[in-house]
Amino acid sequence: MKKKFTLEIASPCSENFDKMIPNANGSFCNSCMKNVIDLSKKTNSEVAKFISENKNRNICARLKTTQLEEEFQFNETSKIANLKYAAVAASILLASNVSGQEKATVETEMRVQKPAHYTVGKVAYVQNEEEQSIFVKGKLLEAKTNKPFDRKIYRNLSISINGSKSNIKMDSKTGEFLIPIVVAKDSKTFEVTITADDYYLSKTIDFDITKIKDNVLVKNIIISADELSRIYIAGGLGINYIQEKRTKEI
């Protein structure tokens, strides 16, 4: 019988998952003295299998927020059916072993492909004449408070602009950053990406290219905390089973 369900975490946990102690069953949280099972990297079928095998346990888990919108299902089989399946599988395995022993050994020839030759070195970036290299200097501020984001909530907060090579961590007290980027000489916008341990935002920001002085654009990035999407969520896992509607035969 197919069992369908959705997942929920009614009371999200604020503990830092990355600082928990990894072990064979997940990561151990010293705050609540429990193992937190990381389901965020599992496929839907893997999640369904885990739930089917642990449906009677109290589970503390970490999920992607998108998984809260998914519908999962697994096949629930009776103990009798499982025993029958195990007996059939054992008989097939025994028969295949006997058949395998009767076959003669076949010699095989292994062909190794000749290794390809590559030239190793740095890739040179040729800047277009219509582009210019500049530095963007400013502060990342929260719109409601006009202050830097709370570093306890938004851990490892970093920012990149126009896909800069790496995200730049800001000064945790002032929110200041300095980022080298390449922009078109007629640009009016750039793309800002903000990430934290559990949060993400990509947003287009307007700017005035005439404000660039000595290849430096001074520009504060002001973002509302509500704009950041939460990526991961952890806490006590709730399982909501979906009852199938039965249709009456006429």
Side-chain angles (χ1 to χ4, degrees):
M1 181 177 68
K2 289 185 178 180
K3 297 275 282 188
K4 294 184 178 181
F5 64 93
T6 59
L7 300 174
E8 71 169 343
I9 293 179
S11 301
C13 173
S14 60
E15 294 298 317
N16 188 349
F17 182 83
D18 293 331
K19 290 186 177 179
M20 295 179 189
I21 305 168
N23 57 41
N25 298 317
S27 291
F28 186 76
C29 176
N30 282 323
S31 178
C32 60
M33 304 301 287
K34 291 181 179 178
N35 273 332
V36 181
I37 309 300
D38 190 1
L39 299 178
S40 66
K41 296 180 176 64
K42 294 186 180 295
T43 64
N44 282 17
S45 58
E46 289 172 335
V47 171
K49 183 176 184 295
F50 174 82
I51 295 300
S52 69
E53 294 171 350
N54 298 274
K55 56 189 174 183
N56 296 321
R57 290 176 51 203
N58 290 326
I59 302 168
C60 192
R62 184 191 194 220
L63 302 171
K64 283 183 180 178
T65 51
T66 52
Q67 289 174 299
L68 299 175
E69 302 167 3
E70 297 286 342
E71 184 178 290
F72 306 86
Q73 72 174 28
F74 63 88
N75 290 323
E76 188 173 53
T77 55
S78 65
K79 291 182 178 179
I80 295 174
N82 286 336
L83 289 172
K84 287 182 178 179
Y85 174 79
V88 171
S91 62
I92 292 173
L93 179 61
L94 180 61
S96 63
N97 286 341
V98 172
S99 175
Q101 290 173 4
E102 292 174 352
K103 292 181 179 179
T105 303
V106 180
E107 293 185 1
T108 58
E109 180 183 356
M110 182 181 292
R111 295 185 180 180
V112 181
Q113 187 176 1
K114 292 183 179 180
H117 294 281
Y118 300 95
T119 302
V120 180
K122 291 184 178 180
V123 178
Y125 172 73
V126 180
Q127 185 169 313
N128 191 304
E129 291 182 358
E130 299 300 318
E131 297 176 333
Q132 65 180 118
S133 298
I134 66 170
F135 287 90
V136 181
K137 180 181 180 181
K139 297 179 180 180
L140 177 64
L141 303 173
E142 205 283 317
K144 293 180 182 178
T145 64
N146 206 38
K147 294 180 180 180
F149 281 77
D150 188 336
R151 56 184 173 173
K152 292 182 180 178
I153 299 174
Y154 303 97
R155 294 180 290 265
N156 295 318
L157 190 65
S158 62
I159 181 173
S160 71
I161 298 177
N162 280 4
S164 50
K165 290 183 179 178
S166 59
N167 286 10
I168 305 297
K169 287 189 178 181
M170 293 139 292
D171 185 296
S172 59
K173 293 182 179 179
T174 65
E176 292 180 345
F177 61 82
L178 180 66
I179 303 177
I181 66 169
V182 176
V183 294
K185 291 184 178 179
D186 59 352
S187 293
K188 294 182 180 179
T189 63
F190 53 66
E191 193 75 16
V192 170
T193 302
I194 299 168
T195 60
D197 282 356
D198 296 335
Y199 294 89
Y200 174 86
L201 172 67
S202 181
K203 184 175 182 178
T204 301
I205 303 292
D206 296 327
F207 76 98
D208 185 351
I209 202 163
T210 64
K211 300 292 184 182
I212 298 174
K213 305 295 181 184
D214 298 324
N215 288 333
V216 176
L217 172 67
V218 178
K219 177 74 174 177
N220 287 341
I221 309 297
I222 301 174
I223 301 291
S224 170
D226 297 337
E227 295 181 72
L228 277 83
S229 300
R230 189 159 188 171
I231 307 170
Y232 298 102
I233 188 170
L237 188 65
I239 304 170
N240 302 315
Y241 290 101
I242 302 170
Q243 292 185 349
E244 295 287 340
K245 293 182 179 179
R246 294 181 179 180
T247 56
K248 294 182 178 179
E249 294 183 3
I250 300 175

